[in-house]
Amino acid sequence: MKEFAPIKEGKVREIYDNGDSLIMVATDRISAFDVILKNKVTKKGTVLTQMSKFWFDYTKDIVPNHMISTDVNDMPEFFRKPEFDGNSMLCRKLKMLPIECIVRGYITGSGWVSYQKNGTVCGIRLPAGLKECEKLPEPIYTPSTKAEIGDHDENIDFARSVEVLEKKFPGHGREYAEKIRDYTIALYKKCADYARSRGIIIADTKFEYGLDEEGNVILADEMLTPDSSRFWPVEGYEPGHSQPSFDKQFVRDWLKANPDSDYNLPDDVIAKTIDKYKEAYRLLTGKEIA
């Protein structure tokens, strides 16, 4: 049996080279504030992979994606083990675009902090008088650069995203920047409408894209998971204050309230975190994570 070792390790994911494809494994690691926490959250990787699969299937009419299969029987024998079952995805190889495509439908988090200071979010002027967590008149696109582990992503405006892409793909910067912006808004609108019908508000999220061998833009990485999005319950939603969540905002809030924790979560916070992830999956898909 051929042995595999990751060719790249991110905060949460491990990527394996499978010749003409990749295998992306979502681990049970959890990160917050660009730091990998000391704890693992059992089954978190399975939730991330299966939720991404659901959304990739749901949105393939808008933009093609990198998913080939999540069945380990379609992967080399090395991956046909319990530790890879459910949390692994066989993917197309792509040349990744160096932009994180963030879309915000509600004003919260760093956007709310910025808005309070000067009425803008990532340089975009918003109407006066918005309340915390209020729905925006239209979703806004606020890209950022992709940081290495330990560094912070840098918020940039659309013009800067064109420059970044033009530098890497001469002659195609504006074309790719416009495509990923338009795909991002279209994906968010379709998925946010669906999620709301299932009891979840998607406040904001991020997408990543790559290019196939023909230069087509392909949706990649993860999609609309509790790691990459803010999920709020529709029930009880009221702008003017922070909202309860189904995502890792719960972990961020605990860490803020416990600055001496050294990024070490107690057992009850870990248990509540995975329960929130599983509940979001159940509401959105109608299925349970075993």
Side-chain angles (χ1 to χ4, degrees):
M1 180 178 66
K2 179 182 177 181
E3 296 290 321
F4 285 78
I7 59 169
K8 183 178 180 181
E9 293 193 54
K11 298 185 189 81
V12 172
R13 283 169 182 74
E14 296 174 348
I15 299 175
Y16 297 79
D17 191 340
N18 188 44
D20 59 356
S21 60
L22 295 174
I23 295 169
M24 183 179 293
V25 178
T27 72
D28 290 339
R29 296 193 295 266
I30 189 167
S31 69
F33 308 116
D34 293 317
V35 174
I36 300 172
L37 276 62
K38 296 180 178 180
N39 315 85
K40 290 188 177 181
V41 179
T42 304
K43 284 291 182 181
K44 174 177 168 287
T46 300
V47 175
L48 299 186
T49 298
Q50 297 305 315
M51 193 172 286
S52 290
K53 178 185 185 302
F54 171 80
W55 289 119
F56 284 145
D57 285 334
Y58 185 68
T59 58
K60 59 188 176 185
D61 60 321
I62 295 177
V63 56
N65 60 69
H66 73 164
M67 180 177 68
I68 299 172
S69 176
T70 57
D71 186 344
V72 291
N73 291 314
D74 295 328
M75 304 175 199
E77 184 181 354
F78 176 83
F79 295 94
R80 297 172 204 165
K81 305 173 187 175
E83 59 261 40
F84 295 112
D85 193 5
N87 65 343
S88 303
M89 183 178 290
L90 183 66
C91 306
R92 300 163 63 181
K93 275 188 173 179
L94 303 172
K95 185 176 292 185
M96 295 302 293
L97 301 181
I99 299 289
E100 288 201 338
C101 299
I102 300 166
V103 56
R104 306 169 191 258
Y106 294 73
I107 187 161
T108 186
S110 62
W112 172 243
V113 173
S114 174
Y115 176 77
Q116 288 178 293
K117 290 179 180 176
N118 55 27
T120 70
V121 175
C122 298
I124 300 172
R125 183 153 298 280
L126 297 177
L130 292 176
K131 298 178 180 178
E132 183 180 5
C133 296
E134 187 168 348
K135 186 177 183 180
L136 299 173
E138 283 293 324
I140 58 173
Y141 175 64
T142 59
S144 74
T145 58
K146 283 174 59 64
E148 297 297 321
I149 294 177
D151 295 329
H152 293 282
D153 299 339
E154 178 191 354
N155 291 327
I156 57 177
D157 59 17
F158 177 75
R160 177 61 181 147
S161 76
V162 173
E163 294 173 1
V164 170
L165 290 167
E166 181 64 26
K167 184 175 181 180
K168 187 159 186 176
F169 304 100
H172 296 281
R174 177 162 293 277
E175 172 196 351
Y176 292 153
E178 289 178 350
K179 279 187 176 180
I180 62 178
R181 176 196 62 195
D182 294 347
Y183 280 147
T184 293
I185 295 294
L187 289 168
Y188 175 78
K189 286 183 173 180
K190 177 175 182 174
C191 297
D193 286 348
Y194 169 81
R196 194 172 185 102
S197 76
R198 304 286 298 184
I200 288 181
I201 292 170
I202 302 176
D204 54 35
T205 192
K206 73 174 179 69
F207 302 116
E208 295 189 36
Y209 302 87
L211 303 176
D212 65 12
E213 291 181 350
E214 289 75 44
N216 299 308
V217 175
I218 308 293
L219 182 62
D221 197 59
E222 64 181 314
M223 183 177 185
L224 286 164
T225 71
D227 265 21
S228 65
S229 318
R230 282 189 175 91
F231 291 160
W232 301 335
V234 170
E235 185 177 357
Y237 166 70
E238 180 186 54
H241 53 80
S242 62
Q243 308 295 311
S245 71
F246 290 108
D247 54 63
K248 69 177 181 182
Q249 187 60 41
F250 175 73
V251 171
R252 295 188 193 102
D253 291 344
W254 187 88
L255 290 170
K256 285 181 182 177
N258 296 271
D260 298 327
S261 66
D262 195 26
Y263 292 94
N264 193 26
L265 302 176
D267 290 345
D268 64 318
V269 173
I270 295 172
K272 288 177 182 176
T273 299
I274 192 57
D275 285 347
K276 287 174 178 288
Y277 277 50
K278 287 181 176 179
E279 176 69 0
Y281 179 82
R282 184 188 67 78
L283 287 172
L284 290 168
T285 69
K287 300 177 182 179
E288 301 280 354
I289 290 287

